[in-house]
Amino acid sequence: MPRIYLDHASSMPVDSRVFEFAKPYLRESWGNPSSLHSVGLEAKRAVEESRGKIAEFIHAENESTIIFTGGATEANNLAVKGAALRNITKGKAVIASTIEHMSVLNPMKELQKNGFSLTMLPVDSTGIVDLKKLDSILTKDTVLSSVMYANNEIGTIEPIKDISKIVHEKGGFLHVDAVAAGGRVPIDVQNEGIDLLTLSSNDLYGPPGAGVLYVKPGVKIQSVLLGGGQERGLRSGTENVFALVGMGEAARIAQQEMKQESSRLLPIRDKFIKEILQIDQSYLTGHPTLRLPHHASFRFSFIEGESILLNMDMYGIQVSTGSACSSKTLEPSHVLLAIGLKHEEAHGSMVLTLGRSTSMEDVPVVSKATNETVQRLRRLSPMSQEWRN
Amino acid sequence: MANVGYSKKVMEHFMNPHNVGVIEHPDGYGKVGNPVCGDVMEIFIKVKDDIITDIKFRTFGCGSAIATSSMVTELAKGKHVDEAVKITRGDVANELDGLPAQKMHCSNLAADALHEAIKDYKNKKQMK
Ligand code: FES
């Protein structure tokens, strides 16, 4: 059975060009960039070159704005805690949108436990943040607001430039989690007025285990991981040279190919949406047009997402879901609740994230499998019978 | 391939559940909701001389909820109601070669629905 992998938001294969490029740093140039001898310097040079590629990728002012971390979760923690704690004398208020990733929300909640006031910024039913509300909840004490570039579960792209304008009128910093958006839509930190930006290596077809926090020149943050003082003292720990070098190369390739790849995926995604919405009582989640080009997310009434996922896997198709049954906490996805879905509506969610392996030929296969899956599970469900009667 | 740590038996019952459907005019009916994640399961039984002669279920829930419903109906079918009422969530899970720890609560649901259906049957019988 051929495999159709449509869960690129969870994990992506490392691009073979990236692997070839970074491979020598595992076995040939395995130096520690902190060492002053030639073996160390070789590794250091490669890491610095990678930093430059990533700076270019997001149009940063210079390469020293790029702080490497061990992944996006760490970068989000560093942004939230690092910025809030470093600027505590300016105020003790923070803002996060209700659809942020847990690696933003949980550090925010920890700040709250430690005396910060946290205000949640709501979104509408398509997932777009409420700009008027943002304006009204910002105070002179707000040191940090965090709004993601695009959401990983519903694909909605936020109006970052407008958000940045509103935030900066009051004087706080804006952090943007761009994990889902990176490599999918062009990002320009200077033009869009972003102070802190998170990227993930694997989401660019780079090696897992690397992430980046961009820190705008002049923005002061403090470290959350203490040690030997690597990364300008902001992220201690010996560099994972292979992953960092790979991430830079992945960013370079993404920059080169993004436009072409996104315009290739867009019609495929639209066809997926068109076909799957033929199913009775099926709905698109997220924004119909302001959405990532590789992202199609749905919900189906009367059925549950983990069963959808398992059933699709039997067809060789890998998808994801935000259902309560599939989560470690047995809570439905906070994102689906934030866009106003009821618990049982959030239950029947299915997310498709396309990638380089996706082609137009996949559309009829996946649509048919989805239809059969939904029909089968509905036959098992007491809810759908009530609806038919 | 991916099966969230489910046993082969769970996947078999998930893909081909036994005793799916509705019994018109059942002798006993039980419906329970899963307080943990909000799912729903219902069981219908037909009983003759206190023996469960037919049993059907419908479930709105995860893979393990569907598999445990299927298994509990298999275990109860043909049994005396006093025997069937002793079926526990542990029995259901064991018959399925185990369930992941965070999914044990789904097997509660299946056993509870069966117990409710038997209770309903006994109540009805008393009323006659
Ligand atoms: S029914 Fe929700 S986890 Fe099993």
Side-chain angles (χ1 to χ4, degrees):
Chain A
M1 189 168 44
R3 180 168 77 187
I4 303 182
Y5 182 82
L6 295 173
D7 190 17
H8 289 83
S10 297
S11 181
M12 315 214 314
V14 178
D15 185 308
S16 52
R17 293 165 292 179
V18 169
F19 181 67
E20 285 308 319
F21 184 87
K23 206 169 61 176
Y25 297 94
L26 283 176
R27 291 191 49 81
E28 287 147 42
S29 311
W30 34 263
N32 182 334
S34 296
S35 310
L36 296 177
H37 48 61
S38 55
V39 182
L41 287 180
E42 208 174 316
K44 185 166 170 65
R45 213 170 289 127
V47 170
E48 293 315 313
E49 193 185 300
S50 170
R51 206 185 296 281
K53 290 176 185 169
I54 292 165
E56 211 171 296
F57 175 59
I58 56 173
H59 195 228
E61 292 81 352
N62 56 59
E63 57 273 3
S64 57
T65 58
I66 304 298
I67 307 298
F68 281 119
T69 68
T73 289
E74 206 192 299
N76 278 341
N77 272 265
L78 177 58
V80 172
K81 286 163 115 181
L85 295 174
R86 176 66 170 77
N87 297 285
I88 200 161
T89 51
K90 293 188 192 145
K92 286 184 80 175
V94 286
I95 291 174
S97 92
T98 49
I99 59 169
E100 292 307 297
H101 192 264
M102 282 305 172
S103 56
V104 167
L105 289 181
N106 284 340
M108 285 279 185
K109 286 180 191 155
E110 196 179 283
L111 288 174
Q112 192 180 25
K113 270 191 224 145
N114 289 302
F116 278 79
S117 94
L118 167 63
T119 310
M120 300 305 292
L121 172 61
V123 298
D124 66 14
S125 61
T126 65
I128 300 276
V129 296
D130 185 338
L131 295 180
K132 282 212 187 79
K133 184 86 188 183
L134 174 61
D135 192 40
S136 72
I137 59 178
L138 276 160
T139 69
K140 60 173 189 3
D141 287 333
T142 312
V143 281
L144 180 71
S145 304
S146 193
V147 178
M148 68 207 317
Y149 205 105
N151 183 273
N152 52 315
E153 287 183 55
I154 54 174
T156 302
I157 302 174
E158 301 296 340
I160 293 298
K161 217 170 164 174
D162 299 340
I163 293 166
S164 149
K165 246 183 90 196
I166 297 171
V167 168
H168 290 130
E169 270 162 23
K170 296 271 164 76
F173 296 134
L174 173 65
H175 167 242
V176 175
D177 172 357
V179 169
R184 306 295 180 175
V185 288
I187 296 172
D188 185 328
V189 287
Q190 297 186 67
N191 182 270
E192 291 169 281
I194 296 168
D195 301 309
L196 299 156
L197 180 114
T198 298
L199 287 173
S200 148
S201 166
N202 185 235
D203 288 77
L204 304 170
Y205 292 96
V212 150
L213 183 66
Y214 155 81
V215 185
K216 190 186 181 71
V219 173
K220 297 261 184 301
I221 65 168
Q222 73 181 48
S223 165
V224 295
L225 208 55
L226 306 176
Q230 287 88 345
E231 300 297 301
R232 294 201 279 130
L234 290 175
R235 199 283 185 180
S236 288
T238 299
E239 294 85 347
N240 178 355
V241 178
F242 166 76
L244 302 192
V245 168
M247 181 174 181
E249 183 63 3
R252 188 190 67 78
I253 294 173
Q255 188 175 14
Q256 228 167 49
E257 299 180 354
M258 176 164 46
K259 205 168 158 214
Q260 200 185 345
E261 175 63 358
S262 289
S263 34
R264 184 186 75 85
L265 286 178
L266 202 62
I268 304 177
R269 182 205 70 186
D270 286 342
K271 187 93 174 130
F272 267 120
I273 293 177
K274 190 164 166 268
E275 291 299 318
I276 289 176
L277 287 183
Q278 305 279 330
I279 298 171
D280 213 8
Q281 300 266 328
S282 65
Y283 308 88
L284 187 74
T285 57
H287 201 282
T289 51
L290 297 173
R291 70 184 298 137
L292 293 170
H294 73 307
H295 198 289
S297 53
F298 307 90
R299 70 174 183 84
F300 307 100
S301 305
F302 321 119
I303 58 175
E304 189 280 319
E306 191 214 73
S307 338
I308 300 175
L309 181 154
L310 292 173
N311 209 82
M312 292 294 281
D313 204 20
M314 291 292 134
Y315 288 96
I317 301 165
Q318 287 78 37
V319 303
S320 120
T321 177
S323 114
C325 299
S326 70
S327 80
K328 289 197 180 76
T329 55
L330 293 169
E331 295 283 338
S333 138
H334 68 284
V335 175
L336 298 178
L337 297 182
I339 59 170
L341 295 188
K342 295 201 210 84
H343 190 128
E344 64 271 21
E345 292 171 334
H347 234 39
S349 83
M350 178 176 92
V351 182
L352 309 182
T353 37
L354 287 46
R356 289 192 187 134
S357 59
T358 314
S359 76
M360 203 48 124
E361 275 87 79
D362 297 336
V363 178
V365 183
V366 174
S367 311
K368 184 163 174 283
T370 307
N371 189 27
E372 287 173 11
T373 296
V374 171
Q375 301 316 333
R376 179 176 100 81
L377 294 174
R378 280 186 182 163
R379 275 197 297 279
L380 295 176
S381 166
M383 318 307 271
S384 60
Q385 308 290 334
E386 278 162 24
W387 155 68
R388 284 209 174 83
N389 293 338
Chain B
M1 252 209 295
N3 51 27
V4 207
Y6 285 144
S7 70
K8 232 179 116 205
K9 213 134 173 217
V10 171
M11 286 311 286
E12 271 166 32
H13 277 266
F14 167 69
M15 284 314 287
N16 295 300
H18 307 184
N19 307 311
V20 175
V22 177
I23 297 176
E24 302 291 340
H25 314 296
D27 298 316
Y29 171 70
K31 181 171 179 175
V32 292
N34 190 335
V36 184
C37 58
D39 301 329
V40 181
M41 184 182 296
E42 59 183 0
I43 285 186
F44 307 78
I45 53 173
K46 206 77 191 159
V47 184
K48 196 160 187 270
D49 303 328
D50 280 349
I51 304 286
I52 298 176
T53 54
D54 198 10
I55 182 164
K56 290 257 181 323
F57 84 88
R58 290 193 310 200
T59 292
F60 167 47
C62 72
S64 117
I66 290 170
T68 53
S69 327
S70 166
M71 182 50 88
V72 89
T73 59
E74 275 301 288
L75 291 177
K77 205 172 189 170
K79 281 216 169 69
H80 192 282
V81 284
D82 293 339
E83 284 299 309
V85 87
K86 288 187 206 142
I87 296 172
T88 66
R89 70 168 193 166
D91 299 335
V92 180
N94 283 345
E95 285 295 326
L96 286 167
D97 298 338
L99 284 172
Q102 81 273 22
K103 290 286 179 178
M104 277 307 285
H105 68 98
C106 313
S107 56
N108 270 341
L109 198 62
D112 288 353
L114 173 67
H115 298 161
E116 285 298 315
I118 295 174
K119 207 160 100 196
D120 180 47
Y121 160 72
K122 290 200 162 162
N123 285 343
K124 279 184 184 154
K125 202 171 128 186
Q126 261 174 13
M127 305 236 291
K128 273 185 198 159

